[in-house]
Amino acid sequence: MIKSTLKHFFIIIIVALLQVAILPNLSSKMGNLDLVLVVLIFIAVVYKFYLGVIYGLILGFFLDLYSALPFGMIILCYMLVLYFVYLIFQKLLTNKSFYSLLGVTFIGTIIYSILIYISKISYYFINTKDYLLIKNYSIISFQNIGWQVSLNISLAIILFMCFHFGSRQFNAGFIDTTKK
Amino acid sequence: MPLTPKPTKLIILTVVIILLLVFLHYTHILSPLERAVTGMTKMIMRISYNFSNNIGANYLEFKLKRELLNENKELKDQLAILFKEKSRYLNEKEENDFLREQLKFSQTLNYEFIIANVVGKNVAGVQNILLLDVGAQNGLLVGQPVLGEQGVVIGKISKVEKNRAFMLLINDDLSRLAVKVQGSDKTMGIIEGEFGLGIKMRLIPQNETISEGDLVVTSGLEELVPANLIIGTIEKITRAPEDLFQEAAIKSPIDFSKITLVNIIKNK
């Protein structure tokens, strides 16, 4: 139990630090990668959904501390994305496979981008009433969605490959067709 | 999908936690925890920030170098194109200058000219023959005089084909042209080439008085060659008392190795 908790603790710390301190300082394109989102979707899909929610709450809290948005927005966005992922798995998909992981990552990234976009323009609008700023931000946001989707899917593929070859759990996990 | 506890409960629990966190944050109850978290991660953040900044800087430097290399390649390509353009421009300028000179010259002389490009040199033997891009269909005939810059005679047409012609330069040893020395009681003679190295005027009677610097022009004795076309000036006179004739070395103002455009006097 302690070992497992420590393992999760370290994963959360590493993911949070990478997201907050490393990724934003890489090139402008790499800054679009949302490591936390990919990890959350991956855990929710591959492991247990409630574990993804716990990760989301902790990582969201951590990111909110470093976010310029009002506190709670990031957690809320992550939780909504996880909820959509849950709905997709319940209503649309029949099993957990490599392709379903990529599909869910794709949809999750789009939903997250839209949620963050709405949050930011609302926040900017309330604070500045500057339409030009909102317009410019909108242009940049929509230009970056393609990059964000590509990078997130690439990371999901890498994560899948790493865990597929590194853990026996995945050999069976991706042909599981049971829904509980 | 394994989901414990029940989805509804989990959603409600999550919403409650989020609301609680937001409430605790804005009431500053959560401040000690937030300070503790940010304090603990501050050092790691600083190190990782510096590390990522270095990576970012290195990446930017690499990217900049790559961009500079690409730019360098593009500029080199552009430079090559510009060199080509410059070469073309210089050629055209040279041609233009020549044509202007010829126009001035042809206005002073009452002849009709055919302008020809030199497209090649003799490739067999040691003859000083140039290949021209005009031929019989342009009205060229064997024996017509060929003029260079300023209307100076540089040779004669030696062979004519339909679309091209060969001209024999006057410094070729096979070249013969009837000439006279201007201003010296019409001293006649013949100029011959000296294996492409120079021009000699021969058959000048011993009793004729000529001097260095005298102008040598065509005599007009040849059917297709009008009189008074400039050949060059006398550079050196050779007199031997036992010989019947004296000789003179002629200096032409033309550089025979750099002829690109020529004029051929057309028959009237």
Side-chain angles (χ1 to χ4, degrees), chain B residues 101-120:
Chain B
E101 287 298 322
Q102 293 311 308
L103 186 66
K104 270 191 245 166
F105 167 69
S106 59
Q107 280 168 351
T108 58
L109 292 175
N110 198 17
Y111 300 119
E112 202 178 327
F113 291 97
I114 300 164
I115 296 172
N117 284 300
V118 177
V119 290

Side-chain angles (χ1 to χ4, degrees), chain A residues 43-115:
Chain A
I43 290 168
V45 171
V46 175
Y47 286 95
K48 294 178 179 70
F49 185 77
Y50 80 92
L51 195 61
V53 173
I54 294 168
Y55 264 68
L57 286 170
I58 299 169
L59 284 166
F61 172 76
F62 190 82
L63 293 192
D64 263 329
L65 291 179
Y66 291 95
S67 166
L69 286 171
F71 187 86
M73 292 298 266
I74 306 269
I75 305 181
L76 193 64
C77 290
Y78 282 138
M79 288 305 115
L80 284 170
V81 169
L82 286 177
Y83 179 66
F84 276 110
V85 168
Y86 174 75
L87 281 182
I88 290 162
F89 259 97
Q90 288 298 306
K91 307 286 180 192
L92 299 173
L93 300 172
T94 53
N95 65 354
K96 292 195 288 180
S97 69
F98 173 63
Y99 300 106
S100 62
L101 172 69
L102 297 189
V104 165
T105 308
F106 173 78
I107 294 166
T109 306
I110 299 285
I111 292 167
Y112 180 75
S113 300
I114 292 166
L115 289 172

Side-chain angles (χ1 to χ4, degrees), chain A residues 17 20-22 25-27 47 49-50 53 57 61-62 65-66 70-71 75 79 83 86 89 178-180, chain B residues 1-4 7 10-11 14 17-18 21 25-26 30 34 37-38 41 44-45 48-49 52-53 55-56 59:
Chain A
L17 287 177
V20 175
I22 304 283
N25 298 302
L26 295 179
S27 75
Y47 286 95
F49 185 77
Y50 80 92
V53 173
L57 286 170
F61 172 76
F62 190 82
L65 291 179
Y66 291 95
F71 187 86
I75 305 181
M79 288 305 115
Y83 179 66
Y86 174 75
F89 259 97
T178 57
K179 272 189 194 174
K180 291 175 186 174
Chain B
M1 180 178 288
L3 192 67
T4 51
L10 186 66
I11 291 165
T14 310
I17 290 171
I18 293 170
L21 279 172
H25 172 80
Y26 286 107
L30 214 55
E34 289 172 5
V37 170
T38 49
T41 52
I44 307 167
M45 287 281 287
S48 55
Y49 181 79
S52 62
N53 258 353
I55 293 174
Y59 175 76

